[in-house]
Amino acid sequence: MRVVSLVPSLTEAVARTVPGALVGATDWCSHPPDLDVVRIGGTKNPDVDRIVRLAPDLVIANEEENREPDLTALRTAGLEVLVTEVREVPGAFRELARVLSACGARTRPRWLDEAETAWERLPAPDRRTTAIVPIWRRPWMVLGRDTFAGDVLARLGVDNVYAQHADRYPRIPLPELRAAAPDLVVLPDEPYRFTADDGPEAFEGVPCALVDGRRLTWYGPSLARAPQVLGEALRPGPAEA
């Protein structure tokens, strides 16, 4: 089986479960760190010709991370493309099982069982917190409706202020974000790399939690420890003065 992955989360899952199956992955596929495959460009601008030359048996993609024109071009070239849709945690486990089976996994991996168990046994939150979750600045963009990361946070007791917005990733001016008066601002380190010096200063007086974007947005082996890692990170220090 020869597989090209256009999704960092799925790259990590396949590399760990079916060693040797991957022959190509995007420039953003950073896990596992020692992954040695042909790089085929970004998730939004893959090199279709390079992928075709790799002659994969399967290309794995995601309806949110990858563009339909690229997937259509790959199919037109005669390649099989498996497209995932992940909007909530249980769906991530279903799609991971489907992808791994398609990539040649003979048995369900232990890490997938451990991850599913970790989320199934997650205790009910003691209290609920409202939050805004920026994913970009210049312009400011936040999590909106129907997102995997939003569902992850909700299961940890953090309710996205913009969960009912018409857009999944709305652009919201900073004054409006401040006026929303959330209990918390959640700042992941991807896709925009928010840091202690880049992000919290925009929300004076509001507690900010810097979180590992991989634990928040990736669906793969990182899900096993995500409840613990995110739970700790979501207990932020004092608000910026």
Side-chain angles (χ1 to χ4, degrees), residues 189-231:
D189 61 6
E190 62 174 72
Y192 186 91
R193 188 173 181 80
F194 288 104
T195 67
D197 299 320
D198 185 356
E201 81 290 343
F203 301 96
E204 183 177 341
V206 183
C208 292
L210 295 166
V211 303
D212 182 344
R214 177 166 161 263
R215 303 289 179 182
L216 179 62
T217 64
W218 287 36
Y219 34 91
S222 60
L223 279 173
R225 293 194 63 239
Q228 175 187 347
V229 173
L230 290 173

Side-chain angles (χ1 to χ4, degrees), residues 63-79:
E63 50 89 27
E64 178 178 35
E65 294 200 46
N66 307 120
R67 300 185 317 122
E68 184 57 39
D70 296 320
L71 305 183
T72 298
L74 291 168
R75 292 190 181 100
T76 300
L79 300 183

